[in-house]
């Protein structure tokens, strides 16, 4: 009888440790899978944002708003206003791209409060002794589920004067 009780206790202790290791392993796998999927979504959004802003046109001048930029670029369809915006939109908080009045979500789950679209105009790019040219456009955001900041700093191909 003593041997049976001792065996049951040992099996219980071994089972508890095995369950703990199994629990940690499964949680690690699920976290890795979630982070990998999120990183893939972020990379696709950053690539699209970079392509959009790299080919921005100097005329008409881009218009900056609260967490938004309205612009035109050389991507088809031409001569249509495009709006890149970080907002709590119709499909939830995220980064939206509006082309021809149609709003599409680029990335969901964005922490809108800690995200922004800005520009840098601190360099003299046209040798006219002023710093009124946009040297870079910056999109900074955090995903709510990851918490790490992501940033796309894009250097436009066109010489855009400060709006």
């Amino acid at each position: 009888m003593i041997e049976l009780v001792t065996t049951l206790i040992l099996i219980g202790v071994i089972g508890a440790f095995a369950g703990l290791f199994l629990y940690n392993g499964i949680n690690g796998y699920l976290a890795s899978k979630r982070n990998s999927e999120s990183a893939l979504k972020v990379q696709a959004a950053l690539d699209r944002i970079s392509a959009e802003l790299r080919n921005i046109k100097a005329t008409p001048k881009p218009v900056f708003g609260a967490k938004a930029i309205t612009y035109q670029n050389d991507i088809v369809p031409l001569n249509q206003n495009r709006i890149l915006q970080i907002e709590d939109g119709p499909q939830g908080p995220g980064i939206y791209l509006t082309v021809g009045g149609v709003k599409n979500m680029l990335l969901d789950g964005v922490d809108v409060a800690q995200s922004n679209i800005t520009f840098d105009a601190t360099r003299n790019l046209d040798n006219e002794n002023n710093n009124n040219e946009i040297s870079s456009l910056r999109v900074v955001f955090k995903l709510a589920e990851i918490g790490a900041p992501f940033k796309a700093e894009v250097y436009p191909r066109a010489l855009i004067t400060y709006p």
Side-chain angles (χ1 to χ4, degrees), residues 30-159:
L30 293 176
S32 175
K33 181 180 175 191
R34 181 180 60 245
N35 289 341
S36 177
E37 289 171 352
S38 296
L40 186 62
K41 288 190 321 185
V42 166
Q43 185 62 46
L46 288 173
D47 288 346
R48 181 59 189 260
I49 290 168
S50 295
E52 286 284 329
L53 298 180
R54 186 179 313 113
N55 295 313
I56 197 167
K57 289 184 178 181
T59 55
K61 288 184 181 182
V63 177
F64 290 87
K67 300 178 191 273
I69 178 174
T70 303
Y71 60 94
Q72 289 185 5
N73 65 14
D74 295 330
I75 299 175
V76 176
L78 299 174
N79 301 325
Q80 285 192 349
N81 281 344
R82 300 166 97 78
I83 303 170
L84 183 66
Q85 188 170 19
I86 301 171
E87 67 172 341
D88 193 3
Q91 298 172 349
I95 299 176
Y96 290 87
L97 176 64
T98 304
V99 179
V102 178
K103 185 178 277 195
N104 297 302
M105 179 178 271
L106 282 181
L107 185 64
D108 62 342
V110 173
D111 184 354
V112 176
Q114 297 188 19
S115 304
N116 207 356
I117 299 174
T118 59
F119 63 91
D120 183 23
T122 59
R123 296 177 58 204
N124 180 13
L125 300 176
D126 61 1
N127 293 325
E128 292 183 0
N129 295 327
N130 58 23
N131 293 338
N132 67 346
E133 299 85 31
I134 294 177
S135 58
S136 68
L137 299 164
R138 225 176 272 110
V139 179
V140 180
F141 59 91
K142 281 188 176 184
L143 286 184
E145 61 190 34
I146 294 179
F150 295 94
K151 176 174 83 168
E153 185 159 5
V154 180
Y155 301 95
R157 293 180 176 160
L159 184 63

Side-chain angles (χ1 to χ4, degrees), residues 4-19:
L4 184 61
V5 171
T6 305
T7 303
L8 288 175
I9 291 173
L10 285 174
I11 288 175
V13 169
I14 291 170
F17 280 113

